[in-house]
Amino acid sequence: MKHQIKDLLHSSRLWVALAVLAPIGMLMASGAMLIELRQDAWSEAQQTASNLLQVIARDVDRNIEVIDLSLQGAVENLHAPKSAEATPELRQRILFDRAATARDIGVMLILDENGDAVFDANGVPPRTVNNSDRDYFQWHKKWPDLGLHISRPVISRLTGVPITVLSRRINKPDGSFGGIVLASLRLSYFVRLCENLGLGSNGGINLYLRDGTRLVRYPYSDADVGVNIAGTPNFDRFVAEGSGSFVGKSTRDGVERLYTFTQIGELPLVLNVGLATADIEGKWRSKAAVIAAVMVVLCGLAGGLALLFGRELRRRTAIQAELARLSSTDALTGLFNRRHFDYELERALGDARRNRKSLSLLIVDADHFKSVNDRHGHIVGDEVLKGLARGLSASVHRPGDLVCRLGGEEFAIILQSTDRDGALIVSQKVHSEIRQVAVEKAGISAGSVTVSIGLAVAGQSETMSVETLYQRADGALYEAKANGRNQTRCAVEPAENDQQPHLLRLVKRS
């Protein structure tokens, strides 16, 4: 009978094991398949974004190169021999003979040193316009070697449409500033270039100047043109890395996207294609939902049992952690309590003895605290104690230092690897912080609450017990109370005066 019972128990355990392991095996296999499907979705998205980026970057680079050749040709033809002798119509044709091959040029002008249009690719005579106030004009005037300059987006004064201006400087024979030649590139060119691309519902393509100014975004919005995002995490990566891809959240709308980006040739332009991660994983999620539904049916019971078991373990762990915290924490102030203080002081003194380092102990007691309770009640007294706790905590910053409430209005600070001079600095900080304690609703203003402090130090060469160190600090505290309060008294170390080992020294606060 016993053998049968054992066999039954053994069989039941096997069935339980199989009931648990079989769904786990299926879950692992399904998980591996889902991971592979997800990786495929991301790989496809990255390849798509990379292809789009290359096509757009190549087109923009080529188009700007053609426009720049037109600008350079205009500069060369302007200084060509006998060019000045030609009729206005002929000279206009000579200056702008290459402009006809450039796509999406809106306006092409030559401005003199005053910013006035003197030649116009559109016809003779030139249209009346002065662009001396434009940034690109001022930049060329200031920097002779600027070369090709691509401006921030502006509204054309001649056509009224959003443009970016490509320009080059014209020098006089003596090398001085003689004006500029410019060509405007319609921002609609970029929109036309990107239309009909499959970017998903939240995808986007951006073209930036290297200073962070957005020239244009697709899908197009007037509000996006000219916005500067320099200093944002995404743009900092665009500039620092030059090209690549990463996942980040947009500062524009908070949407998480896969950003694939590059610098266009040698131009000061940064192009990125952003595909929303939600769109990338859309198809994958539909497949994952079906697989997950099947797994939920198969693993429901086992998962439920595991969940209940895990919840119980977490509950017990949380209870144990809370009990441990409560056993070492003062409920009112949130500081460590006397029990934890005794343990930590014993441990810290042992560490100091082994490492031959000093250990300082401050015993802090609120002055006239009984009168606060008698006059204002225990609720206000509790507020004062909380303020004292905050002030003491603000006075120490090292991880190894410890602030505790010993009971009532008495507190302690353990300062590891700290000699008397260092401890005195902390005590001065304590007095300074306590002066800020106030309970305005009870009429207790800043400066009304003070503390007395007793300081004792276990020196590097001393063999001192916890009780002796505490008694020295407590004796120093008693002396501070007896001599007027609101001060720090330091127990004199035996090495200072072997004849009077318990002599106390007054430490004045600044």
Side-chain angles (χ1 to χ4, degrees), residues 207-383:
L207 183 63
Y208 297 97
L209 292 173
R210 282 185 63 85
D211 68 357
T213 301
R214 183 188 284 117
L215 289 178
V216 66
R217 182 183 188 275
Y218 180 82
Y220 180 81
S221 172
D222 287 332
D224 293 323
V225 175
V227 174
N228 191 290
I229 65 166
T232 61
N234 287 352
F235 192 78
D236 285 348
R237 289 194 65 172
F238 295 157
V239 175
E241 299 177 18
S243 63
S245 63
F246 65 90
V247 174
K249 282 192 175 182
S250 168
T251 56
R252 174 182 177 272
D253 53 19
V255 174
E256 185 182 69
R257 293 184 175 90
L258 168 65
Y259 288 103
T260 305
F261 60 96
T262 188
Q263 178 176 318
I264 299 180
E266 300 298 324
L267 301 173
L269 296 175
V270 177
L271 176 68
N272 76 61
V273 174
L275 301 179
T277 56
D279 294 335
I280 295 173
E281 297 187 348
K283 294 181 180 179
W284 171 79
R285 285 174 180 167
S286 62
K287 297 178 182 178
V290 174
I291 296 174
V294 174
M295 294 308 301
V296 166
V297 174
L298 294 176
C299 304
L301 180 60
L305 292 174
L307 181 63
L308 291 175
F309 182 68
R311 182 180 300 171
E312 180 64 19
L313 285 179
R314 288 194 296 271
R315 188 183 68 84
R316 292 188 179 186
T317 302
I319 291 174
Q320 291 175 354
E322 181 64 14
L323 289 175
R325 186 188 69 82
L326 292 175
S327 69
S328 62
T329 303
D330 176 62
L332 176 64
T333 62
L335 298 177
F336 290 114
N337 59 17
R338 179 60 184 261
R339 177 182 178 183
H340 193 74
F341 165 78
D342 292 339
Y343 170 79
E344 286 296 329
L345 184 60
E346 182 77 38
R347 184 191 61 78
L349 190 60
D351 290 344
R353 190 180 298 118
R354 285 190 299 273
N355 299 324
R356 301 187 63 81
K357 292 186 177 181
S358 298
L359 177 73
S360 294
L361 175 64
L362 300 177
I363 304 297
V364 183
D365 190 84
D367 296 329
H368 304 296
F369 184 73
K370 185 177 183 300
S371 64
V372 173
N373 278 336
D374 293 343
R375 181 178 180 183
H376 301 285
H378 289 285
I379 294 178
V380 174
D382 288 346
E383 292 299 319

Side-chain angles (χ1 to χ4, degrees), residues 54-70:
Q54 292 179 18
V55 170
I56 298 171
R58 189 180 301 115
D59 195 284
V60 172
D61 188 25
R62 182 171 58 249
N63 208 30
I64 290 180
E65 180 183 11
V66 172
I67 295 175
D68 187 33
L69 289 174
S70 299

Side-chain angles (χ1 to χ4, degrees), residues 133-200:
D133 60 329
R134 295 292 201 188
D135 289 345
Y136 54 81
F137 186 87
Q138 297 297 327
W139 276 101
H140 282 296
K141 189 174 182 179
K142 184 177 181 180
W143 300 102
D145 299 324
L146 186 60
L148 176 66
H149 180 267
I150 302 176
S151 78
R152 297 172 182 174
V154 295
I155 300 298
S156 172
R157 288 171 174 161
L158 294 176
T159 64
V161 298
I163 59 170
T164 182
V165 177
L166 285 67
S167 56
R168 281 188 172 272
R169 174 182 168 119
I170 298 173
N171 289 325
K172 293 182 178 180
D174 60 359
S176 62
F177 180 65
I180 66 170
V181 56
L182 65 87
S184 65
L185 179 62
R186 301 184 190 94
L187 297 186
S188 59
Y189 150 72
F190 185 79
V191 176
R192 178 185 57 76
L193 182 63
C194 297
E195 64 185 0
N196 300 323
L197 296 179
L199 299 176

Side-chain angles (χ1 to χ4, degrees), residues 448-465:
S448 300
V449 180
T450 62
V451 294
S452 299
I453 302 176
L455 165 61
V457 180
Q460 300 179 8
S461 59
E462 286 187 271
T463 301
M464 185 183 301
S465 67

